[in-house]
Amino acid sequence: MNSSAIAVSEPTMLGIVRAARGRTQKELEAATGVPQAVLSKAEGGLVDLDDDRISALAHELDVPADLLRFPQPAGEPVHVFHRKRSALPVSKVNQFRAMIELSHVQTSALFKDQAPRVVISHKPLPDDAFETPQERAQELRRTMGLEPGPVKNMVQLLESCGVVVVRRDLGSNLIDALISWPDGRAPLVLIGDHAPGDRLRFTLAHELGHAVMHKVPSNRQEAEADQFASEFLMPADDIRHDLNNVSLARLAELKLKWRVSMAALLRRARDLGAISDFRYKQVNIDISTAGYRKSEPVEITQESPHAVAAAISTRIASGESIESIARDAMMTTEELRDAYVGSADVY
């Protein structure tokens, strides 16, 4: 195997692909024979790798060699937001960041000239609390032309507004979805395939809140995103009359209507003053006693994204092959099918 060419280069996608695959430099060294020190320099753009080493790494990472030579997207570092359900190891956070960066590159190529126009806008909340997350949610509902009442389909709504939604096995049950919105690109959400439909809808609304309200992480952003999501999915003026005298049976009925969890509905009732703190505690005890913390009754079907698969279908209908589309996106044909086509009828 030839040695690496000592030449200054721009950072490539090698480090992003490695992290997205959940691999360490030490593991790649053991699998390919490329020394960790060389990998580190290559990921930082300090050396170029020769064709033999690129080929070995591409084979181990199951990607086309061209992807490992592709320059990292220019611009500021991508800030990735996610609804925090539990503390995540740093290695997982880095993997998620790499996964969403790689998905930006892939989906941009897959859409080609079909990418929908982004109709939402990013406007950070002012530090002086002049505008609240609830007001921002109300404003966005009006911008989106939503009628009063429940949101019928969160995934479909996001895709109609130019947000790219991709379902993936995130490799962890500690996170349901994450979002990033780099300058000059469309916002992109990765959703896990493990979360129940009601929880995923709230998580998507939470991520939408991050997208339109936040630029960089802050101590208050999680609470703000939750407030945004509650108002976006359960507008106070529309739901208040539903929340009087809530019981387990009543919450189950409302879950079917509003398509959010019983726990979220109960919390909304308390926050809007529709029930007392004492009643809130009582019903929470009932929920725990019934075993609904782990699994609630009334299943809400998980919503599925379709925009990327539809773009691929359109390209195939125009005469392109699945192999050529995969090459455009610097993916293997198998990964394209698994990650973006799924069961969609695009052949």
Side-chain angles (χ1 to χ4, degrees), residues 14-226:
L14 173 59
I16 290 175
V17 174
R18 175 187 59 75
R21 295 291 196 251
R23 304 293 295 275
T24 66
Q25 291 176 349
K26 273 292 187 185
E27 289 172 342
L28 283 190
E29 178 183 35
T32 66
V34 182
Q36 182 182 6
V38 174
L39 286 169
S40 180
K41 290 179 180 179
E43 290 181 7
L46 299 178
V47 299
D48 287 327
L49 296 179
D50 61 44
D51 289 345
D52 287 346
R53 283 177 165 170
I54 287 287
S55 178
L57 290 166
H59 176 77
E60 185 64 25
L61 295 169
D62 194 26
V63 296
D66 285 347
L67 178 60
L68 302 186
R69 298 187 181 95
F70 193 74
Q72 290 184 21
E76 297 181 359
V78 175
H79 293 293
V80 178
F81 294 96
H82 57 86
R83 187 182 177 199
K84 294 180 180 177
R85 298 179 56 224
S86 181
L88 287 167
V90 173
S91 60
K92 270 296 177 187
V93 173
N94 291 338
Q95 182 179 8
F96 292 144
R97 187 183 306 276
M99 288 172 66
I100 206 164
E101 182 60 74
L102 185 57
S103 297
H104 272 295
V105 172
Q106 293 170 342
T107 56
S108 177
L110 292 174
F111 273 117
K112 210 170 184 177
D113 56 358
Q114 301 179 62
R117 185 172 64 92
V118 178
V119 299
I120 61 174
S121 59
H122 179 261
K123 186 171 64 172
L125 282 177
D127 293 332
D128 58 8
F130 181 75
E131 186 178 14
T132 67
Q134 292 89 338
E135 290 171 332
R136 185 62 60 79
Q138 294 162 6
E139 176 187 349
L140 190 58
R141 282 182 64 105
R142 290 192 295 270
T143 299
M144 291 177 164
L146 290 177
E147 297 179 354
V151 176
K152 294 179 181 178
N153 188 308
M154 270 300 298
V155 170
Q156 186 179 76
L157 176 65
L158 291 176
E159 290 189 323
S160 71
C161 293
V163 179
V164 180
V165 184
V166 176
R167 187 194 304 284
R168 283 284 166 80
D169 176 2
L170 298 178
S172 173
N173 290 335
L174 297 179
I175 188 168
D176 296 338
L178 55 154
I179 192 169
S180 80
W181 192 353
D183 292 340
R185 288 187 276 177
L188 188 147
V189 182
L190 292 184
I191 58 175
D193 55 7
H194 60 276
D198 50 281
R199 192 173 80 204
L200 184 59
R201 280 169 54 86
F202 193 94
T203 299
L204 285 172
H206 177 104
E207 300 306 324
L208 179 61
H210 280 315
V212 300
M213 296 188 302
H214 300 137
K215 183 66 174 177
V216 296
S218 71
N219 292 331
R220 62 180 183 274
Q221 67 180 31
E222 292 303 303
E224 290 172 346
D226 277 344

Side-chain angles (χ1 to χ4, degrees), residues 244-320:
N244 296 320
N245 302 316
V246 293
S247 62
L248 290 188
R250 179 59 175 158
L251 288 174
E253 292 176 6
L254 293 176
K255 179 177 179 178
L256 190 61
K257 174 181 178 180
W258 290 92
R259 298 174 61 78
V260 296
S261 70
M262 295 168 63
L265 286 160
L266 180 62
R267 175 64 180 267
R268 190 66 169 149
R270 196 278 303 272
D271 290 348
L272 292 178
I275 59 172
S276 66
D277 286 344
F278 178 75
R279 181 59 180 162
Y280 176 73
K281 293 177 182 178
Q282 277 187 319
V283 180
N284 260 315
I285 292 172
D286 293 340
I287 287 176
S288 297
T289 302
Y292 293 165
R293 294 291 177 201
K294 293 185 177 179
S295 180
E296 290 187 359
V298 185
E299 181 179 356
I300 303 299
T301 303
Q302 195 181 75
E303 299 164 356
S304 298
H306 297 288
V308 180
I312 296 170
S313 180
T314 299
R315 292 180 65 174
I316 290 175
S318 69
E320 294 186 68

